[in-house]
Amino acid sequence: ATSLVLLLLFLGTNWSTIFLGIQERYQGADPADVLGFRSLNVIVDSMIILVAVVLAFFLVGAIIAARRVAKIPTIRLVSTKQPPELSIVRGLTWHLFNSHIWSTGQDAVKVIK
């Protein structure tokens, strides 16, 4: 989002500079013939609207992503509602949480342990 906003600001200042340069150097020329904007206010207003739309678009995307992440289930302790602190002994790399239904998975899990 930041890169796109900076790009739009760069384009707006560039177009404004070109517009003012055409007005100063070529007194009889119309900058609208070159840039398509009839006044400097149109350039500034267009950039403000584009930046606001881009920021709104990314804000909505961030809210949707945050809500999606909040719905991901996590393992938490019942007493504190915090994730458990897992410690591991020297020489081991991974923890294993093996969940199963007691009635159908007991024999299969017995082999894994």
Side-chain angles (χ1 to χ4, degrees):
T2 307
S3 298
L4 187 55
V5 168
L6 287 174
L7 175 68
L8 290 174
L9 290 175
F10 171 76
L11 288 175
T13 55
N14 193 12
W15 290 339
S16 299
T17 304
I18 292 171
F19 188 91
L20 292 173
I22 291 172
Q23 275 185 335
E24 284 181 19
R25 286 188 187 219
Y26 309 105
Q27 298 296 330
D30 186 15
D33 294 339
V34 178
L35 294 176
F37 298 107
R38 61 187 187 295
S39 72
L40 191 58
N41 289 338
V42 175
I43 295 173
V44 173
D45 293 344
S46 301
M47 287 299 115
I48 289 172
I49 290 170
L50 280 173
V51 167
V53 167
V54 166
L55 289 177
F57 177 73
F58 283 106
L59 180 64
V60 168
I63 290 171
I64 289 171
R67 293 184 78 187
R68 188 174 294 154
V69 168
K71 290 181 182 179
I72 295 174
T74 57
I75 298 172
R76 299 196 177 266
L77 296 174
V78 175
S79 59
T80 62
K81 294 189 171 122
Q82 297 296 319
E85 290 185 30
L86 300 175
S87 59
I88 194 164
V89 296
R90 233 176 246 264
L92 295 180
T93 307
W94 306 101
H95 283 282
L96 173 68
F97 176 73
N98 196 2
S99 178
H100 64 281
I101 299 172
W102 187 259
S103 62
T104 60
Q106 184 178 7
D107 58 337
V109 173
K110 177 176 60 174
V111 174
I112 295 172
K113 288 182 181 181

